[in-house]
Amino acid sequence: MTNVTNEYGQVLNCVLTTGEGAGLEELCQGIVLRFQNAGEPEPEIIYVDRDCCGASVLEWFRPWKTKVRLDIFHFMRRFTAGLTTEHHPLYGTFCSKLSCCIYEWDQDDVSHLKEAKRSELKKKYAGHLPTEAQVLANISSSELAKHCRRRTRGVEETRNLIQGLLDSMWGLTDTSGLRLINPESMTRVWQVQQKHLPCIQDPPGAELYTKLGSTQKGDKEVQTFRCGRGSSSVESFHRHQCTFIPGERIAVEYLLAQSDRGDLLGPKQDSELGVVLPEMQAEVLEEESPDVTISEVTDILINSPLKVPQYDDQLEMSPPNTPFLQEGSSSTSSQVM
Ligand SMILES: [Zn+2]
């Protein structure tokens, strides 16, 4: 399944193909034509989940001269091939640190959010002034995404930081002695992925955030932003799409519905719409963080992502779930902005 969305998360087109890559040229040329017909300028950046530095993406979208970037979630996801298991207790820590190696937060935005949160908590607890730790503990990752901007750190800084992160976690194990990193696989992964470090950088001068307005928190106002970077919204759409297709029974259910024998389908048939409603999946309905690459909130003030770890403590407090475990579809996506 290939989806193309715009910077508002609206799906521009969607095709189902038997293999990855095949048939995408027509899809892309159709989008180019629609932009031309609408008198819209070509987009500044296209985010893809693969083929970032090959010629094929620009060939499909010809004559556009748009910058092609690799979606950072997909870049990070590739490192899991160098780990022993995604269920390792250090997995969440690793992902969070990896995100810090790539992004840095705008410190002005962060301090505005902290001030607002402090004021909000003070109001809530009858004038009692919260500590720095309490303020941080009460900032959620979706608040960070809404009120704070991030930028990429640049190729060399990210290269050094990821190298440092790998060095610092290379031999770490859980209590049973299982390593997090598989040295052989990670060596290969890192060697290949270094080539894509330029592909994940924000293009210089590109305005990736749109100011939406401001929100009142306590007696402070904080700005609200929408981020156009990456393909997080299209990934959520992919997960939603998975629930349209209830396993291998799709063909039978579809045919029964089409041939007016939907009555054979049992209780899942919606009589009014005449369609088969998939079972709700709680996972998809949960409110998700708008950007899955957001690191742990406690990391926002740390300039170097490598300074934190007290790994013994992390073993116990490591989050049981991380965004990476949620990607279930083998799909291609791209975003035009
Ligand atoms: Zn690349």
PDB file of all heavy atoms in Angstrom, residues 52-53 196 199, ligand 1:
ATOM      1  N   CYS A  52      15.645   7.152  -0.589  1.00  0.00           N
ATOM      2  CA  CYS A  52      15.865   8.584  -0.408  1.00  0.00           C
ATOM      3  C   CYS A  52      16.958   9.133  -1.308  1.00  0.00           C
ATOM      4  O   CYS A  52      16.845  10.239  -1.814  1.00  0.00           O
ATOM      5  CB  CYS A  52      16.178   8.887   1.048  1.00  0.00           C
ATOM      6  SG  CYS A  52      17.349   7.760   1.803  1.00  0.00           S
ATOM      7  N   CYS A  53      18.046   8.376  -1.495  1.00  0.00           N
ATOM      8  CA  CYS A  53      19.110   8.974  -2.299  1.00  0.00           C
ATOM      9  C   CYS A  53      19.197   8.408  -3.712  1.00  0.00           C
ATOM     10  O   CYS A  53      20.077   8.799  -4.468  1.00  0.00           O
ATOM     11  CB  CYS A  53      20.465   8.960  -1.589  1.00  0.00           C
ATOM     12  SG  CYS A  53      20.670   7.807  -0.275  1.00  0.00           S
ATOM     13  N   HIS A 196      22.985   7.704   4.912  1.00  0.00           N
ATOM     14  CA  HIS A 196      21.711   8.438   4.844  1.00  0.00           C
ATOM     15  C   HIS A 196      21.629   9.604   5.824  1.00  0.00           C
ATOM     16  O   HIS A 196      20.589  10.247   5.926  1.00  0.00           O
ATOM     17  CB  HIS A 196      20.535   7.480   5.076  1.00  0.00           C
ATOM     18  CG  HIS A 196      20.450   6.396   4.048  1.00  0.00           C
ATOM     19  ND1 HIS A 196      20.192   6.651   2.726  1.00  0.00           N
ATOM     20  CD2 HIS A 196      20.639   5.057   4.148  1.00  0.00           C
ATOM     21  CE1 HIS A 196      20.210   5.503   2.050  1.00  0.00           C
ATOM     22  NE2 HIS A 196      20.483   4.530   2.899  1.00  0.00           N
ATOM     23  N   CYS A 199      20.413  12.590   4.349  1.00  0.00           N
ATOM     24  CA  CYS A 199      19.016  12.498   3.869  1.00  0.00           C
ATOM     25  C   CYS A 199      17.995  12.795   4.965  1.00  0.00           C
ATOM     26  O   CYS A 199      16.816  12.944   4.670  1.00  0.00           O
ATOM     27  CB  CYS A 199      18.720  11.111   3.322  1.00  0.00           C
ATOM     28  SG  CYS A 199      19.925  10.501   2.160  1.00  0.00           S
TER      29      CYS A 199
HETATM   30 ZN    ZN B   1      19.552   8.329   1.615  1.00  0.00          ZN
END
